[in-house]
Amino acid sequence: MSGTEGTRDGASAPRPLSGHTTLRLGGPATEFVSAEHPDQLAELVRESDATGQRVLVLGGGSNLVVADEGFDGRVVRIATRGRRYDIVDGFVQLTVEAGEDWDVVVADTVHQGLGNLECLSGIPGLTGATPVQNVGAYGVEISEMLVSVDLLDRHSGRIRTVLADDLGLVYRGSVLKHTADAVVLRARYLLRDGGQSAPIRYAELARELGVQPGARVDVAEVREAVLRLRRAKGMVLDPEDHDTWSAGSFFTNPVVDADELPGVLELIAAHAGPDVKVPQYPAAGGRTKLSAAWLIDRAGFGKGHSGPGGRTALSGKHTLALTNRGAASTEDLLALAREVRDGVSSTFGVSLAPEPVLVDCSL
Ligand code: EPU
């Protein structure tokens, strides 16, 4: 089935991976198969591992930058479905197969009046990706309600259940990110009954809801508010709007050590003026998280800034989203990313690291 696309038995013409990424970028794979059942998913990966064939496990393609040359190997697209609510020790536990669309899952929990996922509304991609990079938004991270995952351990070929505590979940990362050692087959989340959200922590969201930080609000109201905020930032997919042809935030927010911070703030003051209010948030280990979007803006790359050739641009709604204006290549996008990364580094001495997974390409 070399160069073909389809489920295992149904071959069809080769297609570029751009049709499977939210950036709409990336060349073809040597082989493309969809796995609709978890056993099939595990078997396809095991089979490739046994023969030494390269494998790319593809979810929603919302956090993926694929080279223009494509992927020399087998792409296994996760298309598994299923979710189940159980009562475990008096709490509601939701089990979801990796291939379920994340926002459909969130919408269903909200519809059932169950809290904990509402702040994670409108995030593109599939459920299996949420533990990998500890998906987070509006003051909430998956680490807070993830119970465990079932994963295929590619070294042993076995399926194991791993508790959330053993996944090394940190800001936008886990032991599963940037390695191909395991494939998430399903994940379990702890939900709260009673129709109320988790306490609202993100100041911007509290303002939008008209409540004080710490308040609990009706879950459906929170979902609507989060969707409004995300839409205004171009962070909800819309095929008509090129500002959403992105991989979400292209860079993680930089976390600087306590001894580095004064130097960075000095450079910012020298550039932006001494009175400027620099967005900064306390991070683990006495470190400080800065805002990549703000630094990019202040380094001279405003909303809508065009990349070399004009085929890419920063989103017109948020400087942290690098977008394809319709006719871009992956190289075009990487050229813009390098321009922004280097500009922020030379202006403020801060290194920005890419957040999406880069497949057979690099910055
Ligand atoms: N800002 C600018 N210019 C802009 C946009 C924002 O200066 O064009 C400033 C804002 O004024 C604000 C700061 O940047 O002070 C932070 O902006 P925002 O609240 O939008 O959050 P963010 O740190 O840029 C993060 C996540 C998003 C998540 C939002 C909301 C990362 C890398 N990104 O963005 O996640 O939706 O918070 O919680 O942590 C993603 O990971 O793909 C993603 C979209």
Side-chain angles (χ1 to χ4, degrees):
M1 8 206 296
S2 199
T4 58
E5 173 169 8
T7 55
R8 227 130 186 247
D9 306 319
S12 57
R15 271 187 264 157
L17 292 172
S18 55
H20 298 278
T21 65
T22 54
L23 271 163
R24 292 165 170 79
L25 296 175
T30 321
E31 186 188 347
F32 189 109
V33 277
S34 287
E36 271 140 39
H37 191 278
D39 294 343
Q40 186 195 11
L41 171 56
E43 200 40 47
L44 284 164
V45 175
R46 280 192 200 109
E47 190 183 271
S48 297
D49 287 347
T51 59
Q53 183 188 33
R54 296 176 75 217
V55 181
L56 171 66
V57 177
L58 177 70
S62 57
N63 203 43
L64 214 54
V65 181
V66 179
D68 292 314
E69 292 70 32
F71 180 73
D72 184 12
R74 169 185 275 179
V75 168
V76 180
R77 180 173 153 268
I78 303 184
T80 54
R81 294 281 184 279
R83 53 178 185 265
R84 210 182 66 208
Y85 295 91
D86 297 297
I87 305 289
V88 179
D89 299 333
F91 294 95
V92 182
Q93 182 174 292
L94 168 65
T95 304
V96 192
E97 296 300 312
E100 286 277 343
D101 180 275
W102 176 249
D103 197 47
V104 171
V105 172
V106 175
D108 190 55
T109 63
V110 168
H111 183 71
Q112 311 254 2
L114 295 166
N116 271 3
L117 303 183
E118 58 283 346
C119 284
L120 305 176
S121 292
I123 296 178
L126 304 185
T127 300
T130 61
V132 177
Q133 59 154 348
N134 188 16
V135 159
Y138 297 98
V140 171
E141 287 184 348
I142 284 294
S143 56
E144 295 165 46
M145 74 294 283
L146 186 73
V147 177
S148 62
V149 296
D150 289 348
L151 44 81
L152 169 70
D153 178 334
R154 292 179 62 186
H155 293 294
S156 66
R158 296 232 171 87
I159 293 170
R160 302 196 280 133
T161 299
V162 181
L163 294 176
D165 283 351
D166 297 327
L167 287 173
L169 296 158
V170 293
Y171 166 63
R172 285 301 189 280
S174 76
V175 295
L176 304 171
K177 193 163 179 185
H178 297 309
T179 78
D181 294 346
V183 179
V184 176
L185 301 179
R186 66 185 63 79
R188 299 178 189 84
Y189 308 89
L190 192 67
L191 304 179
R192 64 174 80 222
D193 214 345
Q196 295 285 293
S197 70
I200 303 298
R201 296 196 199 112
Y202 210 74
E204 187 188 22
L205 178 60
R207 272 198 304 278
E208 178 73 18
L209 286 161
V211 299
Q212 289 300 314
R216 288 173 193 272
V217 183
D218 175 74
V219 280
E221 246 182 80
V222 176
R223 174 171 168 81
E224 286 314 310
V226 167
L227 289 175
R228 279 198 302 278
L229 290 176
R230 289 190 71 95
R231 278 200 191 98
K233 296 180 189 180
M235 296 290 184
V236 176
L237 296 184
D238 173 359
E240 303 297 314
D241 181 0
H242 283 287
D243 279 339
T244 75
W245 290 32
S246 78
S249 299
F250 193 88
F251 297 103
T252 49
N253 286 328
V255 181
V256 296
D257 289 336
D259 59 343
E260 278 177 90
L261 186 63
V264 171
L265 293 178
E266 220 170 279
L267 279 174
I268 294 177
H271 191 83
D275 299 328
V276 73
K277 194 171 175 316
V278 183
Q280 48 183 300
Y281 317 92
R287 303 169 87 207
T288 299
K289 194 195 269 182
L290 300 174
S291 160
W294 189 91
L295 292 168
I296 291 169
D297 231 330
R298 295 292 169 142
F301 306 102
K303 290 176 185 147
H305 169 89
S306 268
R311 292 177 295 276
T312 60
L314 301 186
S315 156
K317 303 182 182 74
H318 202 291
T319 56
L320 199 45
L322 274 59
T323 65
N324 172 2
R325 305 319 288 183
S329 65
T330 301
E331 257 323 299
D332 292 330
L333 188 89
L334 294 172
L336 173 60
R338 289 181 196 117
E339 186 192 9
V340 168
R341 177 199 60 187
D342 295 347
V344 169
S345 167
S346 61
T347 312
F348 299 126
V350 174
S351 309
L352 293 183
E355 197 244 1
V357 173
L358 273 55
V359 176
D360 290 356
C361 57
S362 59
L363 270 197

